[in-house]
């Protein structure tokens, strides 16, 4: 995979083949990094947020087009400001100096190569907290390989097993094919999640997030079976219940509601049956009966 930033963009599986200095691909991102916000974030899993917060950087735009995106003002509208790679490195240092336990790169995929340079610049300045790659898994293995040794923790979604659902709700019909390859590469690089006994903070490894969608649109049994068989049931999972209909969800009646207690419990039941024990649950109060 060609990684020269002067070439046309083939960074993610969409393979748009456009020059992002003059045209826009499916993610609508130019070549320069755009950031919506950066802050110490206390709402992540406890092993990431700790006591002082995760140093979160929210990148503008996204390479998936999820009709229910809960951050559509950032992902679809592209709200944010442009920064040079050097300025992004400075943001990382600022977050570290403010006490962040890690640098949490949210929706980084479409800026993978620029962020790689920013991480290198920050490390040269003394950045020494873990780098968290917080992505949707619709990524090319060859690009992830460029991050080998720079990223400490892969925090990735696995959204859908079924191609029709991936096409309908995220405009990525080959999502599962690429997500499986991407997650295996992530695991090859960092292995199972390691948590420091003294601080209870994640140091290195893989965690997979599963945002439970209505009507089991995820295909949760197939996803969990695959994780169990191809990676192992020691994998850390984060089962998320906070789905709510927003953005274009009202165009799809089957997802135009919060999930039920039964749908959330079903995911937990499948997970328990497969022997997963390393699980973070984020059961919110908005589940319906
Ligand atoms: S990163 Fe953006 S422009 Fe590049 S291939 Fe993916 S969607 Fe297309």
């Amino acid at each position: 995979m060609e990684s020269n930033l002067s070439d046309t963009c083939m960074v993610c599986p969409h393979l748009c083949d456009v020059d992002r200095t003059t045209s826009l691909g499916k993610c609508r991102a130019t070549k320069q990094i755009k950031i919506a916000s950066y802050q110490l974030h206390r709402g992540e899993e406890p092993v990431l947020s700790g006591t002082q917060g995760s140093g979160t950087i929210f990148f503008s735009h996204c390479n998936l087009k999820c009709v229910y995106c809960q951050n559509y003002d950032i992902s679809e509208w592209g709200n944010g400001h442009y920064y040079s790679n050097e300025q992004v490195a400075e943001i990382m240092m600022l977050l570290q100096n403010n006490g962040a336990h890690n640098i949490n790169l949210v929706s980084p995929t479409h800026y993978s190569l620029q962020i790689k340079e920013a991480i290198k610049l920050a490390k040269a300045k003394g950045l020494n907290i873990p780098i968290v790659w917080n992505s949707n898994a619709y990524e090319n293995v060859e690009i992830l390989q460029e991050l080998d040794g720079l990223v400490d923790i892969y925090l990735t979604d696995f959204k859908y097993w079924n191609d029709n659902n991936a096409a309908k709700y995220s405009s990525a019909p080959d999502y599962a094919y690429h997500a499986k390859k991407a997650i295996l590469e992530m695991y090859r690089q960092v292995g199972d999640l390691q948590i420091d006994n003294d601080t209870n903070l994640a140091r290195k490894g893989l965690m997979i997030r599963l945002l439970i969608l209505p009507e089991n649109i995820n295909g949760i049994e197939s996803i969990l079976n695959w994780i169990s068989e191809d990676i192992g049931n020691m994998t850390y999972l984060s089962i998320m219940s906070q789905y709510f209909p927003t953005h274009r969800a009202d165009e799809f009646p089957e997802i135009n509601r919060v999930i039920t207690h039964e749908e959330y419990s079903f995911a937990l039941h499948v997970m328990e049956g497969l022997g997963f024990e390393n699980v973070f649950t984020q059961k919110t109060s908005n589940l319906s009966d």
Side-chain angles (χ1 to χ4, degrees):
M1 183 69 56
E2 181 56 68
S3 64
N4 187 334
L5 291 179
S6 67
D7 289 334
T8 56
C9 188
M10 309 285 264
V11 162
C12 87
H14 283 306
L15 302 175
C16 294
D17 200 17
V18 295
D19 178 350
R20 283 167 50 180
T21 57
T22 54
S23 309
L24 299 177
K26 287 196 173 162
C27 63
R28 315 292 294 166
T30 68
K31 203 174 271 188
Q32 187 171 6
I33 291 177
K34 198 175 185 187
I35 290 172
S37 66
Y38 53 91
Q39 64 214 315
L40 292 177
H41 186 39
R42 293 183 166 81
E44 302 286 42
E45 288 79 359
V47 294
L48 297 174
S49 284
T51 54
Q52 294 167 190
S54 177
T56 308
I57 304 176
F58 289 92
F59 293 96
S60 309
H61 299 286
C62 184
N63 66 332
L64 286 185
K65 302 283 141 202
C66 302
V67 297
Y68 50 83
C69 182
Q70 316 206 336
N71 296 315
Y72 62 92
D73 54 332
I74 300 172
S75 63
E76 275 293 305
W77 299 353
N79 288 352
H81 300 283
Y82 290 105
Y83 295 87
S84 67
N85 297 348
E86 291 77 10
Q87 288 172 316
V88 177
E90 291 295 342
I91 289 171
M92 294 178 186
M93 292 306 295
L94 178 69
L95 290 166
Q96 175 172 280
N97 292 340
N98 286 345
H101 296 302
N102 45 63
I103 299 297
N104 186 348
L105 307 166
V106 183
S107 229
T109 304
H110 45 294
Y111 300 120
S112 294
L113 302 174
Q114 295 89 334
I115 293 171
K116 171 188 164 186
E117 297 308 316
I119 295 171
K120 284 183 177 174
L121 289 168
K123 284 184 181 285
K125 293 174 189 285
L127 186 78
N128 57 16
I129 52 178
I131 301 288
V132 182
W133 193 259
N134 184 341
S135 72
N136 58 36
Y138 193 60
E139 306 189 271
N140 279 331
V141 167
E142 296 83 352
I143 296 295
L144 290 171
Q145 284 170 345
E146 301 229 11
L147 303 170
D148 194 357
L150 293 174
V151 168
D152 302 285
I153 296 166
Y154 282 103
L155 175 64
T156 180
D157 300 328
F158 198 143
K159 289 177 175 292
Y160 316 98
W161 189 261
N162 179 282
D163 291 348
N164 290 333
N165 288 345
K168 182 175 182 182
Y169 302 113
S170 291
S171 302
D174 51 359
Y175 174 83
Y177 170 79
H178 289 289
K180 284 186 279 186
K181 291 206 311 177
I183 293 172
L184 287 174
E185 169 59 20
M186 295 174 186
Y187 185 66
R188 184 195 70 75
Q189 289 183 25
V190 297
D192 289 319
L193 195 71
Q194 300 169 24
I195 299 172
D196 188 287
N197 284 335
D198 296 328
T199 63
N200 208 27
L201 290 169
R203 278 192 309 232
K204 184 176 182 182
L206 172 70
M207 190 191 316
I208 301 176
R209 276 180 168 172
L210 304 167
L211 174 68
I212 305 303
L213 298 170
E215 304 293 338
N216 194 14
I217 279 163
N218 311 89
I220 203 72
E221 313 98 301
S222 299
I223 291 172
L224 287 168
N225 262 311
W226 177 79
I227 297 170
S228 174
E229 287 175 11
D230 284 44
I231 302 179
N233 63 7
M234 295 300 290
T235 305
Y236 274 76
L237 304 176
S238 181
I239 311 288
M240 308 172 85
S241 64
Q242 62 263 50
Y243 174 82
F244 63 93
T246 185
H247 191 30
R248 296 176 48 215
D250 61 357
E251 297 172 25
F252 303 85
E254 67 280 12
I255 62 167
N256 197 23
R257 62 168 174 81
V258 298
I259 65 168
T260 63
H261 288 284
E262 190 179 350
E263 285 168 330
Y264 189 72
S265 299
F266 176 69
L268 294 181
H269 174 73
V270 175
M271 190 193 62
E272 285 163 13
L274 291 166
F276 286 100
E277 292 181 356
N278 298 321
V279 181
F280 294 102
T281 53
Q282 297 186 353
K283 193 168 185 179
T284 51
S285 56
N286 69 344
L287 303 189
S288 69
D289 292 326

